[in-house]
Amino acid sequence: MSSPTTHFSTLQFRDEHFYDLLQNRSCEAFRNNYTLPHISDFADFTLAHTTTLFLCNHTLHVNPPTNINMSKYNCSDYDLYYNLFMTHDDKSSFKACKEVQLPIKDLPDATDPFTFVTGDVTIKVKLTDNCSDYYYRQGGQCQLDSRENFCCGNGIVQQKPWKHKHP
């Protein structure tokens, strides 16, 4: 059996609190990863556009890699380092720092973190493989039964042909 075709949609919403922190240029906006709660057994939700920023204590005296153009923003409690196109290897210089994933605009337009990090969050919604299979192949609906287990409702049920048994 081949795997179902991957289908996804995008949704956008404004996180008012996060948006206000950015508008007020509060470094509090950069303190924690931006995550989405697990909402459904039917779909996976992921941030469409993210970047990694590094929060480094001032006393660390971090020396960013010289082969990439790292930007630095000074917050009162820490230095914020970032490069929108950093590779995994480039991150090794920041082992002692806190790594934070945040949503960004789909087309970042500046090097100022308060303008490319965004409170207008775009998420990708992708059906799980089971739900996608039921929906696209069998025409069913993904549902939970009375015991909160995944099931397919109103789908085409594959039946075996009836055979008459001879005595």
Side-chain angles (χ1 to χ4, degrees):
M1 175 182 206
S2 64
S3 65
T5 304
T6 301
H7 296 275
F8 69 88
S9 296
T10 57
L11 302 170
Q12 189 174 44
F13 65 91
R14 176 167 285 176
D15 181 324
E16 292 290 342
H17 177 68
F18 192 60
Y19 181 84
D20 289 345
L21 289 172
L22 293 168
Q23 292 300 304
N24 294 323
R25 301 186 68 79
S26 170
C27 284
E28 187 67 27
F30 308 120
R31 287 202 171 271
N32 297 300
N33 285 315
Y34 197 96
T35 59
L36 299 171
H38 177 72
I39 299 173
S40 171
D41 292 327
F42 306 133
D44 294 320
F45 299 89
T46 56
L47 294 169
H49 311 287
T50 64
T51 195
T52 302
L53 294 90
F54 297 92
L55 284 66
C56 305
N57 188 311
H58 294 302
T59 61
L60 290 176
H61 304 292
V62 172
N63 293 317
T66 56
N67 63 327
I68 59 172
N69 188 19
M70 289 297 294
S71 295
K72 176 183 174 183
Y73 186 86
N74 189 335
C75 290
S76 62
D77 297 339
Y78 55 86
D79 294 321
L80 181 68
Y81 290 91
Y82 51 93
N83 178 313
L84 296 176
F85 307 105
M86 185 181 301
T87 67
H88 180 71
D89 292 337
D90 297 329
K91 294 179 180 184
S92 63
S93 299
F94 300 98
K95 287 180 184 172
C97 302
K98 180 180 179 181
E99 188 174 327
V100 179
Q101 290 283 320
L102 294 173
I104 59 172
K105 297 176 183 176
D106 59 348
L107 297 171
D109 57 0
T111 57
D112 179 352
F114 291 102
T115 60
F116 69 77
V117 173
T118 183
D120 294 327
V121 182
T122 302
I123 59 172
K124 282 199 266 188
V125 181
K126 178 187 164 285
L127 294 178
T128 61
D129 289 342
N130 281 344
C131 190
S132 182
D133 184 51
Y134 286 132
Y135 183 78
Y136 290 106
R137 292 182 190 249
Q138 300 176 32
Q141 297 175 349
C142 302
Q143 299 175 349
L144 294 177
D145 64 17
S146 61
R147 293 185 180 137
E148 299 292 314
N149 293 319
F150 178 84
C151 68
C152 180
N154 302 327
I156 300 168
V157 178
Q158 299 258 342
Q159 296 180 350
K160 293 182 181 177
W162 179 77
K163 291 184 181 179
H164 178 69
K165 292 186 178 181
H166 295 286

PDB file of all heavy atoms in Angstrom, residues 56-84:
ATOM      1  N   CYS A  56      22.720  34.847  25.247  1.00  0.00           N
ATOM      2  CA  CYS A  56      23.993  34.565  25.894  1.00  0.00           C
ATOM      3  C   CYS A  56      24.232  35.562  27.014  1.00  0.00           C
ATOM      4  O   CYS A  56      24.162  36.780  26.797  1.00  0.00           O
ATOM      5  CB  CYS A  56      25.132  34.659  24.885  1.00  0.00           C
ATOM      6  SG  CYS A  56      24.931  33.601  23.428  1.00  0.00           S
ATOM      7  N   ASN A  57      24.541  35.047  28.183  1.00  0.00           N
ATOM      8  CA  ASN A  57      24.865  35.887  29.323  1.00  0.00           C
ATOM      9  C   ASN A  57      26.023  36.803  28.938  1.00  0.00           C
ATOM     10  O   ASN A  57      26.976  36.377  28.274  1.00  0.00           O
ATOM     11  CB  ASN A  57      25.237  34.989  30.505  1.00  0.00           C
ATOM     12  CG  ASN A  57      25.410  35.746  31.781  1.00  0.00           C
ATOM     13  OD1 ASN A  57      26.110  36.760  31.828  1.00  0.00           O
ATOM     14  ND2 ASN A  57      24.790  35.238  32.829  1.00  0.00           N
ATOM     15  N   HIS A  58      25.962  38.071  29.356  1.00  0.00           N
ATOM     16  CA  HIS A  58      27.015  39.039  29.023  1.00  0.00           C
ATOM     17  C   HIS A  58      28.396  38.556  29.450  1.00  0.00           C
ATOM     18  O   HIS A  58      29.388  38.839  28.785  1.00  0.00           O
ATOM     19  CB  HIS A  58      26.747  40.388  29.712  1.00  0.00           C
ATOM     20  CG  HIS A  58      25.531  41.094  29.232  1.00  0.00           C
ATOM     21  ND1 HIS A  58      25.330  41.455  27.920  1.00  0.00           N
ATOM     22  CD2 HIS A  58      24.438  41.539  29.916  1.00  0.00           C
ATOM     23  CE1 HIS A  58      24.173  42.078  27.807  1.00  0.00           C
ATOM     24  NE2 HIS A  58      23.606  42.138  29.002  1.00  0.00           N
ATOM     25  N   THR A  59      28.465  37.805  30.535  1.00  0.00           N
ATOM     26  CA  THR A  59      29.761  37.366  31.063  1.00  0.00           C
ATOM     27  C   THR A  59      30.407  36.259  30.231  1.00  0.00           C
ATOM     28  O   THR A  59      31.583  35.961  30.434  1.00  0.00           O
ATOM     29  CB  THR A  59      29.614  36.868  32.514  1.00  0.00           C
ATOM     30  OG1 THR A  59      28.722  35.757  32.534  1.00  0.00           O
ATOM     31  CG2 THR A  59      29.103  37.984  33.423  1.00  0.00           C
ATOM     32  N   LEU A  60      29.690  35.679  29.294  1.00  0.00           N
ATOM     33  CA  LEU A  60      30.239  34.585  28.491  1.00  0.00           C
ATOM     34  C   LEU A  60      31.255  35.061  27.454  1.00  0.00           C
ATOM     35  O   LEU A  60      32.112  34.299  27.023  1.00  0.00           O
ATOM     36  CB  LEU A  60      29.123  33.815  27.781  1.00  0.00           C
ATOM     37  CG  LEU A  60      28.215  32.975  28.658  1.00  0.00           C
ATOM     38  CD1 LEU A  60      27.107  32.343  27.828  1.00  0.00           C
ATOM     39  CD2 LEU A  60      29.011  31.897  29.381  1.00  0.00           C
ATOM     40  N   HIS A  61      31.142  36.289  27.013  1.00  0.00           N
ATOM     41  CA  HIS A  61      32.033  36.834  25.980  1.00  0.00           C
ATOM     42  C   HIS A  61      32.095  35.888  24.777  1.00  0.00           C
ATOM     43  O   HIS A  61      33.156  35.369  24.422  1.00  0.00           O
ATOM     44  CB  HIS A  61      33.436  37.100  26.532  1.00  0.00           C
ATOM     45  CG  HIS A  61      33.429  37.996  27.726  1.00  0.00           C
ATOM     46  ND1 HIS A  61      33.080  39.333  27.649  1.00  0.00           N
ATOM     47  CD2 HIS A  61      33.690  37.755  29.031  1.00  0.00           C
ATOM     48  CE1 HIS A  61      33.157  39.877  28.856  1.00  0.00           C
ATOM     49  NE2 HIS A  61      33.511  38.934  29.718  1.00  0.00           N
ATOM     50  N   VAL A  62      30.951  35.648  24.187  1.00  0.00           N
ATOM     51  CA  VAL A  62      30.826  34.731  23.054  1.00  0.00           C
ATOM     52  C   VAL A  62      31.571  35.279  21.845  1.00  0.00           C
ATOM     53  O   VAL A  62      31.520  36.473  21.539  1.00  0.00           O
ATOM     54  CB  VAL A  62      29.335  34.526  22.705  1.00  0.00           C
ATOM     55  CG1 VAL A  62      29.169  33.752  21.423  1.00  0.00           C
ATOM     56  CG2 VAL A  62      28.631  33.837  23.854  1.00  0.00           C
ATOM     57  N   ASN A  63      32.266  34.389  21.150  1.00  0.00           N
ATOM     58  CA  ASN A  63      32.940  34.748  19.900  1.00  0.00           C
ATOM     59  C   ASN A  63      32.228  34.031  18.764  1.00  0.00           C
ATOM     60  O   ASN A  63      32.492  32.857  18.508  1.00  0.00           O
ATOM     61  CB  ASN A  63      34.416  34.332  19.939  1.00  0.00           C
ATOM     62  CG  ASN A  63      35.194  35.133  20.949  1.00  0.00           C
ATOM     63  OD1 ASN A  63      35.028  36.350  21.041  1.00  0.00           O
ATOM     64  ND2 ASN A  63      36.037  34.460  21.716  1.00  0.00           N
ATOM     65  N   PRO A  64      31.322  34.723  18.079  1.00  0.00           N
ATOM     66  CA  PRO A  64      30.572  34.067  16.999  1.00  0.00           C
ATOM     67  C   PRO A  64      31.493  33.684  15.842  1.00  0.00           C
ATOM     68  O   PRO A  64      32.579  34.254  15.693  1.00  0.00           O
ATOM     69  CB  PRO A  64      29.568  35.120  16.558  1.00  0.00           C
ATOM     70  CG  PRO A  64      29.907  36.371  17.263  1.00  0.00           C
ATOM     71  CD  PRO A  64      30.960  36.102  18.261  1.00  0.00           C
ATOM     72  N   PRO A  65      31.069  32.711  15.047  1.00  0.00           N
ATOM     73  CA  PRO A  65      31.884  32.306  13.899  1.00  0.00           C
ATOM     74  C   PRO A  65      32.126  33.505  12.974  1.00  0.00           C
ATOM     75  O   PRO A  65      31.247  34.336  12.782  1.00  0.00           O
ATOM     76  CB  PRO A  65      31.050  31.232  13.200  1.00  0.00           C
ATOM     77  CG  PRO A  65      29.807  31.069  13.985  1.00  0.00           C
ATOM     78  CD  PRO A  65      29.812  32.024  15.117  1.00  0.00           C
ATOM     79  N   THR A  66      33.306  33.563  12.418  1.00  0.00           N
ATOM     80  CA  THR A  66      33.652  34.692  11.540  1.00  0.00           C
ATOM     81  C   THR A  66      33.231  34.441  10.092  1.00  0.00           C
ATOM     82  O   THR A  66      33.195  35.368   9.299  1.00  0.00           O
ATOM     83  CB  THR A  66      35.159  34.972  11.584  1.00  0.00           C
ATOM     84  OG1 THR A  66      35.853  33.773  11.240  1.00  0.00           O
ATOM     85  CG2 THR A  66      35.572  35.446  12.971  1.00  0.00           C
ATOM     86  N   ASN A  67      32.916  33.194   9.750  1.00  0.00           N
ATOM     87  CA  ASN A  67      32.553  32.876   8.368  1.00  0.00           C
ATOM     88  C   ASN A  67      31.110  33.245   8.019  1.00  0.00           C
ATOM     89  O   ASN A  67      30.710  33.150   6.868  1.00  0.00           O
ATOM     90  CB  ASN A  67      32.788  31.392   8.076  1.00  0.00           C
ATOM     91  CG  ASN A  67      31.918  30.490   8.932  1.00  0.00           C
ATOM     92  OD1 ASN A  67      31.613  30.812  10.087  1.00  0.00           O
ATOM     93  ND2 ASN A  67      31.524  29.359   8.378  1.00  0.00           N
ATOM     94  N   ILE A  68      30.315  33.641   9.021  1.00  0.00           N
ATOM     95  CA  ILE A  68      28.949  34.075   8.751  1.00  0.00           C
ATOM     96  C   ILE A  68      28.738  35.440   9.384  1.00  0.00           C
ATOM     97  O   ILE A  68      29.436  35.821  10.315  1.00  0.00           O
ATOM     98  CB  ILE A  68      27.899  33.071   9.296  1.00  0.00           C
ATOM     99  CG1 ILE A  68      28.038  32.884  10.805  1.00  0.00           C
ATOM    100  CG2 ILE A  68      27.966  31.751   8.564  1.00  0.00           C
ATOM    101  CD1 ILE A  68      26.934  32.078  11.433  1.00  0.00           C
ATOM    102  N   ASN A  69      27.808  36.156   8.892  1.00  0.00           N
ATOM    103  CA  ASN A  69      27.534  37.507   9.363  1.00  0.00           C
ATOM    104  C   ASN A  69      26.515  37.458  10.501  1.00  0.00           C
ATOM    105  O   ASN A  69      25.331  37.580  10.269  1.00  0.00           O
ATOM    106  CB  ASN A  69      27.029  38.364   8.206  1.00  0.00           C
ATOM    107  CG  ASN A  69      26.925  39.825   8.589  1.00  0.00           C
ATOM    108  OD1 ASN A  69      27.537  40.274   9.554  1.00  0.00           O
ATOM    109  ND2 ASN A  69      26.149  40.562   7.819  1.00  0.00           N
ATOM    110  N   MET A  70      27.006  37.267  11.725  1.00  0.00           N
ATOM    111  CA  MET A  70      26.120  37.209  12.888  1.00  0.00           C
ATOM    112  C   MET A  70      25.744  38.621  13.317  1.00  0.00           C
ATOM    113  O   MET A  70      26.578  39.510  13.304  1.00  0.00           O
ATOM    114  CB  MET A  70      26.811  36.508  14.070  1.00  0.00           C
ATOM    115  CG  MET A  70      27.006  35.032  13.911  1.00  0.00           C
ATOM    116  SD  MET A  70      25.471  34.093  13.787  1.00  0.00           S
ATOM    117  CE  MET A  70      24.772  34.326  15.393  1.00  0.00           C
ATOM    118  N   SER A  71      24.508  38.767  13.715  1.00  0.00           N
ATOM    119  CA  SER A  71      24.054  40.043  14.270  1.00  0.00           C
ATOM    120  C   SER A  71      23.943  39.885  15.774  1.00  0.00           C
ATOM    121  O   SER A  71      23.730  38.790  16.288  1.00  0.00           O
ATOM    122  CB  SER A  71      22.696  40.426  13.692  1.00  0.00           C
ATOM    123  OG  SER A  71      22.805  40.654  12.307  1.00  0.00           O
ATOM    124  N   LYS A  72      24.072  41.008  16.472  1.00  0.00           N
ATOM    125  CA  LYS A  72      24.004  40.996  17.933  1.00  0.00           C
ATOM    126  C   LYS A  72      23.120  42.143  18.382  1.00  0.00           C
ATOM    127  O   LYS A  72      23.222  43.262  17.871  1.00  0.00           O
ATOM    128  CB  LYS A  72      25.406  41.151  18.516  1.00  0.00           C
ATOM    129  CG  LYS A  72      25.460  41.245  20.025  1.00  0.00           C
ATOM    130  CD  LYS A  72      26.902  41.461  20.470  1.00  0.00           C
ATOM    131  CE  LYS A  72      26.981  41.712  21.951  1.00  0.00           C
ATOM    132  NZ  LYS A  72      28.365  41.986  22.381  1.00  0.00           N
ATOM    133  N   TYR A  73      22.231  41.825  19.328  1.00  0.00           N
ATOM    134  CA  TYR A  73      21.393  42.850  19.935  1.00  0.00           C
ATOM    135  C   TYR A  73      21.609  42.760  21.441  1.00  0.00           C
ATOM    136  O   TYR A  73      21.574  41.670  22.008  1.00  0.00           O
ATOM    137  CB  TYR A  73      19.912  42.629  19.586  1.00  0.00           C
ATOM    138  CG  TYR A  73      19.027  43.740  20.064  1.00  0.00           C
ATOM    139  CD1 TYR A  73      18.835  44.866  19.281  1.00  0.00           C
ATOM    140  CD2 TYR A  73      18.419  43.675  21.311  1.00  0.00           C
ATOM    141  CE1 TYR A  73      18.032  45.916  19.725  1.00  0.00           C
ATOM    142  CE2 TYR A  73      17.620  44.707  21.765  1.00  0.00           C
ATOM    143  CZ  TYR A  73      17.431  45.829  20.967  1.00  0.00           C
ATOM    144  OH  TYR A  73      16.648  46.862  21.415  1.00  0.00           O
ATOM    145  N   ASN A  74      21.829  43.887  22.076  1.00  0.00           N
ATOM    146  CA  ASN A  74      22.119  43.905  23.504  1.00  0.00           C
ATOM    147  C   ASN A  74      20.847  44.146  24.297  1.00  0.00           C
ATOM    148  O   ASN A  74      20.245  45.201  24.208  1.00  0.00           O
ATOM    149  CB  ASN A  74      23.144  45.008  23.797  1.00  0.00           C
ATOM    150  CG  ASN A  74      23.648  44.951  25.216  1.00  0.00           C
ATOM    151  OD1 ASN A  74      22.980  44.445  26.109  1.00  0.00           O
ATOM    152  ND2 ASN A  74      24.837  45.470  25.418  1.00  0.00           N
ATOM    153  N   CYS A  75      20.431  43.133  25.052  1.00  0.00           N
ATOM    154  CA  CYS A  75      19.334  43.277  26.006  1.00  0.00           C
ATOM    155  C   CYS A  75      19.957  43.516  27.380  1.00  0.00           C
ATOM    156  O   CYS A  75      21.146  43.272  27.577  1.00  0.00           O
ATOM    157  CB  CYS A  75      18.471  42.012  26.023  1.00  0.00           C
ATOM    158  SG  CYS A  75      17.499  41.788  24.521  1.00  0.00           S
ATOM    159  N   SER A  76      19.184  43.952  28.321  1.00  0.00           N
ATOM    160  CA  SER A  76      19.752  44.292  29.635  1.00  0.00           C
ATOM    161  C   SER A  76      20.378  43.094  30.342  1.00  0.00           C
ATOM    162  O   SER A  76      21.394  43.222  31.001  1.00  0.00           O
ATOM    163  CB  SER A  76      18.691  44.937  30.525  1.00  0.00           C
ATOM    164  OG  SER A  76      17.637  44.033  30.751  1.00  0.00           O
ATOM    165  N   ASP A  77      19.780  41.903  30.205  1.00  0.00           N
ATOM    166  CA  ASP A  77      20.270  40.718  30.914  1.00  0.00           C
ATOM    167  C   ASP A  77      21.145  39.798  30.069  1.00  0.00           C
ATOM    168  O   ASP A  77      21.781  38.889  30.601  1.00  0.00           O
ATOM    169  CB  ASP A  77      19.094  39.890  31.437  1.00  0.00           C
ATOM    170  CG  ASP A  77      18.261  40.643  32.457  1.00  0.00           C
ATOM    171  OD1 ASP A  77      18.782  41.603  33.060  1.00  0.00           O
ATOM    172  OD2 ASP A  77      17.090  40.262  32.652  1.00  0.00           O
ATOM    173  N   TYR A  78      21.161  39.991  28.772  1.00  0.00           N
ATOM    174  CA  TYR A  78      21.872  39.063  27.896  1.00  0.00           C
ATOM    175  C   TYR A  78      22.122  39.708  26.537  1.00  0.00           C
ATOM    176  O   TYR A  78      21.536  40.737  26.192  1.00  0.00           O
ATOM    177  CB  TYR A  78      21.086  37.760  27.717  1.00  0.00           C
ATOM    178  CG  TYR A  78      19.677  37.971  27.222  1.00  0.00           C
ATOM    179  CD1 TYR A  78      19.393  38.070  25.861  1.00  0.00           C
ATOM    180  CD2 TYR A  78      18.612  38.091  28.111  1.00  0.00           C
ATOM    181  CE1 TYR A  78      18.112  38.283  25.412  1.00  0.00           C
ATOM    182  CE2 TYR A  78      17.325  38.300  27.667  1.00  0.00           C
ATOM    183  CZ  TYR A  78      17.078  38.399  26.307  1.00  0.00           C
ATOM    184  OH  TYR A  78      15.807  38.617  25.860  1.00  0.00           O
ATOM    185  N   ASP A  79      23.002  39.076  25.769  1.00  0.00           N
ATOM    186  CA  ASP A  79      23.218  39.445  24.376  1.00  0.00           C
ATOM    187  C   ASP A  79      22.429  38.470  23.520  1.00  0.00           C
ATOM    188  O   ASP A  79      22.407  37.266  23.788  1.00  0.00           O
ATOM    189  CB  ASP A  79      24.701  39.357  24.002  1.00  0.00           C
ATOM    190  CG  ASP A  79      25.544  40.381  24.737  1.00  0.00           C
ATOM    191  OD1 ASP A  79      25.073  41.523  24.901  1.00  0.00           O
ATOM    192  OD2 ASP A  79      26.677  40.035  25.153  1.00  0.00           O
ATOM    193  N   LEU A  80      21.809  38.983  22.491  1.00  0.00           N
ATOM    194  CA  LEU A  80      21.013  38.173  21.571  1.00  0.00           C
ATOM    195  C   LEU A  80      21.777  38.082  20.255  1.00  0.00           C
ATOM    196  O   LEU A  80      22.081  39.103  19.639  1.00  0.00           O
ATOM    197  CB  LEU A  80      19.649  38.839  21.364  1.00  0.00           C
ATOM    198  CG  LEU A  80      18.660  38.155  20.457  1.00  0.00           C
ATOM    199  CD1 LEU A  80      18.186  36.855  21.096  1.00  0.00           C
ATOM    200  CD2 LEU A  80      17.472  39.065  20.197  1.00  0.00           C
ATOM    201  N   TYR A  81      22.117  36.851  19.837  1.00  0.00           N
ATOM    202  CA  TYR A  81      22.826  36.626  18.583  1.00  0.00           C
ATOM    203  C   TYR A  81      21.894  35.917  17.615  1.00  0.00           C
ATOM    204  O   TYR A  81      21.131  35.032  18.003  1.00  0.00           O
ATOM    205  CB  TYR A  81      24.066  35.742  18.808  1.00  0.00           C
ATOM    206  CG  TYR A  81      25.168  36.419  19.573  1.00  0.00           C
ATOM    207  CD1 TYR A  81      25.243  36.329  20.956  1.00  0.00           C
ATOM    208  CD2 TYR A  81      26.148  37.130  18.889  1.00  0.00           C
ATOM    209  CE1 TYR A  81      26.260  36.940  21.659  1.00  0.00           C
ATOM    210  CE2 TYR A  81      27.176  37.751  19.586  1.00  0.00           C
ATOM    211  CZ  TYR A  81      27.223  37.653  20.963  1.00  0.00           C
ATOM    212  OH  TYR A  81      28.233  38.264  21.651  1.00  0.00           O
ATOM    213  N   TYR A  82      22.008  36.283  16.331  1.00  0.00           N
ATOM    214  CA  TYR A  82      21.146  35.657  15.334  1.00  0.00           C
ATOM    215  C   TYR A  82      21.707  35.842  13.940  1.00  0.00           C
ATOM    216  O   TYR A  82      22.474  36.771  13.659  1.00  0.00           O
ATOM    217  CB  TYR A  82      19.727  36.230  15.403  1.00  0.00           C
ATOM    218  CG  TYR A  82      19.683  37.743  15.381  1.00  0.00           C
ATOM    219  CD1 TYR A  82      19.537  38.444  14.197  1.00  0.00           C
ATOM    220  CD2 TYR A  82      19.815  38.458  16.569  1.00  0.00           C
ATOM    221  CE1 TYR A  82      19.519  39.825  14.190  1.00  0.00           C
ATOM    222  CE2 TYR A  82      19.794  39.839  16.570  1.00  0.00           C
ATOM    223  CZ  TYR A  82      19.649  40.516  15.376  1.00  0.00           C
ATOM    224  OH  TYR A  82      19.644  41.883  15.361  1.00  0.00           O
ATOM    225  N   ASN A  83      21.352  34.927  13.090  1.00  0.00           N
ATOM    226  CA  ASN A  83      21.607  34.966  11.659  1.00  0.00           C
ATOM    227  C   ASN A  83      20.506  34.107  11.053  1.00  0.00           C
ATOM    228  O   ASN A  83      20.368  32.931  11.399  1.00  0.00           O
ATOM    229  CB  ASN A  83      22.986  34.396  11.320  1.00  0.00           C
ATOM    230  CG  ASN A  83      23.254  34.383   9.830  1.00  0.00           C
ATOM    231  OD1 ASN A  83      22.414  33.953   9.044  1.00  0.00           O
ATOM    232  ND2 ASN A  83      24.420  34.851   9.441  1.00  0.00           N
ATOM    233  N   LEU A  84      19.723  34.673  10.179  1.00  0.00           N
ATOM    234  CA  LEU A  84      18.556  33.965   9.653  1.00  0.00           C
ATOM    235  C   LEU A  84      18.920  32.720   8.843  1.00  0.00           C
ATOM    236  O   LEU A  84      18.087  31.857   8.641  1.00  0.00           O
ATOM    237  CB  LEU A  84      17.717  34.911   8.799  1.00  0.00           C
ATOM    238  CG  LEU A  84      17.106  36.088   9.555  1.00  0.00           C
ATOM    239  CD1 LEU A  84      16.366  37.013   8.593  1.00  0.00           C
ATOM    240  CD2 LEU A  84      16.177  35.607  10.643  1.00  0.00           C
TER     241      LEU A  84
END
